[in-house]
Amino acid sequence: MLRRYVRALLAIVMLASAILVGTAVTAGSAHAAGCYSWGRTLSQGASGEDVRQLQIRIAGYPGYGAVLATDGQFGPATKSAVVRFQQAYGLTADGIAGPQTFAKIGALQDTDCTPIHFTFGEMNRCNTTWAGGAVSAATARDNALRLMWKLEALRHALGDQPLNTSSGFRSASCNSAVGGAANSNHMYGRAVDLIGSPSYCRIVQEARYHGFNEILGPGYPGHSTHAHLGDQSSRYWSASSCGI
């Protein structure tokens, strides 16, 4: 009788534990499930939309002066970026994107695909439609999403200190109103200005490791009061007061 009672009690405990574990897994993966989730482990040689989605989220880990292509091809550069992402978050750094890596991405991701510390709203204070820039609204929004994932990597590298954005996407009229350059990357959704802390020099110096081809800061005309980070086809870094 006592033996049957113990067995029944153990079964109840095990069932309760399984429910709790299931709840924890569901909660941990909720962010990822709401936006994008991966159905297979990805390693060098893989290709497809799931690789491209991975590349967007690890684009902030290409290494010094590099930019990771989001082409859906898992080559050596993508493997290296996966390794750096894994190292940054204390995961097994094998360059293979599997359950651990995807779980961490899920924990960093909101249901609209943005990283948890940045929003579409703060990347577009100009209008709510993303229209009126140099590219279509959809392209501008997509460019801003890629930029946010690079900012998430930069934020983490700076000790998880909050980064304060002051200007992201601009329509042509918004850009003109603030005196922006005629060909400003802001009009493409691929530039952001940061204010406040950390120091601008610290921001632009660290940004060199996180996939930004355009970096402007103190020492560059008109940039003593903010750090400007952007994406473009060729590199242009200038912040002479910061040694760049």
Side-chain angles (χ1 to χ4, degrees), residues 55-63 68 149-151 153-154 209-211:
Q55 289 168 327
I56 290 171
R57 290 156 179 79
I58 61 169
Y61 293 92
L68 181 66
W149 279 102
K150 295 183 180 184
L151 289 173
L154 174 62
Y209 296 86
H210 298 287

Side-chain angles (χ1 to χ4, degrees), residues 43 45-48 51-52 55 68-79:
S43 58
S47 63
V51 174
R52 192 182 75 88
Q55 289 168 327
L68 181 66
T70 53
D71 58 4
Q73 302 297 318
F74 198 125
T78 298
K79 179 178 180 179

Side-chain angles (χ1 to χ4, degrees), residues 6 18 46 58 63 92 111 114 159 196 207 209 215-216:
V6 170
I58 61 169
T92 300
T111 54
T114 60
Y209 296 86
I215 301 174
L216 305 174

Side-chain angles (χ1 to χ4, degrees), residues 2-18:
L2 178 60
R3 195 173 293 173
R4 283 201 302 271
Y5 173 79
V6 170
R7 281 201 298 266
L9 182 60
L10 284 173
I12 292 170
V13 170
M14 290 173 69
L15 177 61
S17 298

Side-chain angles (χ1 to χ4, degrees), residues 73-222:
Q73 302 297 318
F74 198 125
T78 298
K79 179 178 180 179
S80 294
V82 171
V83 167
R84 293 187 187 94
F85 175 86
Q86 292 168 330
Q87 290 172 333
Y89 287 100
L91 308 178
T92 300
D94 56 7
I96 298 172
Q100 270 195 332
T101 300
F102 294 137
K104 187 60 197 179
I105 290 174
L108 293 171
Q109 176 175 267
D110 266 327
T111 54
D112 62 355
C113 296
T114 60
I116 55 175
H117 296 109
F118 299 92
T119 67
F120 281 118
E122 70 181 298
M123 295 295 288
N124 180 8
R125 293 184 171 93
C126 176
N127 59 47
T128 59
T129 65
W130 297 86
V135 291
S136 70
T139 298
R141 193 174 188 271
D142 187 56
N143 287 341
L145 176 64
R146 297 163 191 262
L147 196 65
M148 280 188 275
W149 279 102
K150 295 183 180 184
L151 289 173
E152 185 69 30
L154 174 62
R155 184 188 191 277
H156 185 59
L158 291 170
D160 289 314
Q161 294 188 62
L163 294 176
N164 305 300
T165 65
S166 64
S167 181
F169 168 74
R170 301 173 189 161
S171 66
S173 58
C174 287
N175 189 61
S176 178
V178 299
N183 62 342
S184 172
N185 278 316
H186 285 284
M187 294 194 297
Y188 295 80
R190 59 190 188 202
V192 63
D193 294 338
L194 302 175
I195 58 174
S197 60
S199 74
Y200 303 141
C201 279
R202 190 174 175 208
I203 288 172
V204 298
Q205 288 166 351
E206 183 60 41
R208 297 173 295 176
Y209 296 86
H210 298 287
F212 298 100
N213 248 358
E214 185 181 48
I215 301 174
L216 305 174
Y220 184 80

